[in-house]
Amino acid sequence: MILVTGGAGFIGANFVLDWLAQSDEQVINLDALTYAGNRENLASLSGDERHIFVQGDIADSALVSSLLAQHQPRAIINFAAESHVDRSIHGPEDFIQTNIVGTFRLLEAVRGYWSNLQDEAKQNFRFLHVSTDEVYGSLAKDDPAFTETHRYEPNSPYSASKAASDHLVRAYHHTYGLPVLTTNCSNNYGPFHFPEKLIPLMIVNALAGKPLPVYGDGQQIRDWLYVKDHCSAIRRVLEAGCVGEVYNIGGWNEKPNIDIVHTVCDILDELRPLSDDHSATSTYRNLITYVTDRPGHDRRYAIDASKIERDLGWKPAETFDTGIRKTVQWYLENQGWVANVQSGSYREWVEKNYTGRAA
Ligand code: NAD
Ligand code: TYD
């Protein structure tokens, strides 16, 4: 079996669902269920004995050690993290605790477990750490895309805490020989994406007739990958990646934020047209509102995915056009899910982050 951390969040839940759709190998899913963790993402696995959910913290050494001793996983995939840049600006402490201290404690527990494994089990064991392109910092317009050897220059508390976790993972391989793999992926989008991030926020705000808040000039560039393509890349790295190596994951798909927002509006105009009697808002684009920029906002990210393509033969299945259409469709079909995640603390977050960002 495998142990997944953070498997009730956006990417982790997609990973667990895809894993069990393709394999009968059991998954232990350790997740603290922070605001971003949601058991509803895994509702389709209810009663499925291949999925064992445990609510708990990766920083809880005793819990992690006992799970490892009891279940003897052959691999660990570490998704658990605080993941939102804006939240890291408002409150960095949780990022230090989970992304740095949590990853450290997890590595320590895993080192204890792994060092007592015998022969083949020890040799075949893998610790796969899921990280981000944001650790490499910001690119100028004409810079080449990030390769695996690009220097680390994290600019936000989020990316700095992820960078620290990547370094710890690297050090546990170099010093103790722990068989690690690290993946650094570009921005994901798709089902179960929490509506604090750009794409789901734009979809749910548009459907509610609320302003679509674009930071600064909207010309910041991100490199987008459909979440299920990220999951297939992780499965491939786990299966065939070279121990100690880093793999950048991306779909060669750079887009300015404003283009993303326009695309979301255009798909909604087609699939859920606004009624004619509101002529001022007859296209969702009229909801776009430029607001004060994010402090320290990285201008451009871009992933060079040559290594994973060449060495492991991985390629994404979706283009941006097919992936974004599926995503908008998913949100249209899952408005109950949206309503549930928008209760309580979500409203407080929206107020904290958007009130006071002058238009
Ligand atoms: P998310 O915020 O949606 O989910 C994080 C999950 O981790 C939640 O279920 C949460 O409950 C859980 N968690 C948080 N702290 C925990 C702790 N201390 N112990 C156990 N569980 C804890 O994040 P995501 O977007 O699914 O990202 C998953 C991973 O992928 C993160 O490591 C992130 O840095 C990385 N990543 C994300 C993106 C992206 O675009 N979202 C891109 C590249 C890499
Ligand atoms: P986000 O989804 O938060 O991901 P990240 O900051 O990790 O790349 O943001 C993606 C881009 O969209 C980023 O450049 C910030 C911008 N953005 C907005 O313009 N408005 C918003 O309300 C949000 C949440 C993000």
Side-chain angles (χ1 to χ4, degrees), residues 319-339:
T319 63
F320 187 71
D321 287 349
T322 59
I324 192 69
R325 193 164 277 275
K326 282 186 182 176
T327 303
V328 173
Q329 194 77 51
W330 187 88
Y331 280 86
L332 286 171
E333 286 163 8
N334 288 277
Q335 294 196 43
W337 181 92
V338 172

Side-chain angles (χ1 to χ4, degrees), residues 234-298:
I234 292 171
R235 288 198 304 275
R236 184 67 190 139
V237 171
L238 185 64
E239 177 181 64
C242 219
V243 163
E245 291 286 316
V246 173
Y247 295 91
N248 281 359
I249 304 171
W252 307 97
N253 192 43
E254 291 180 57
K255 291 202 185 292
N257 291 341
I258 191 64
D259 289 12
I260 298 286
V261 179
H262 283 155
T263 302
V264 166
C265 290
D266 295 351
I267 296 174
L268 283 172
D269 281 339
E270 185 193 322
L271 299 180
R272 185 61 60 91
L274 291 157
S275 57
D276 293 338
D277 47 324
H278 298 97
S279 52
T281 53
S282 60
T283 160
Y284 289 95
R285 286 192 184 207
N286 291 334
L287 294 169
I288 293 171
T289 311
Y290 287 90
V291 299
T292 307
D293 208 350
R294 171 189 280 173
H297 199 169
D298 284 338

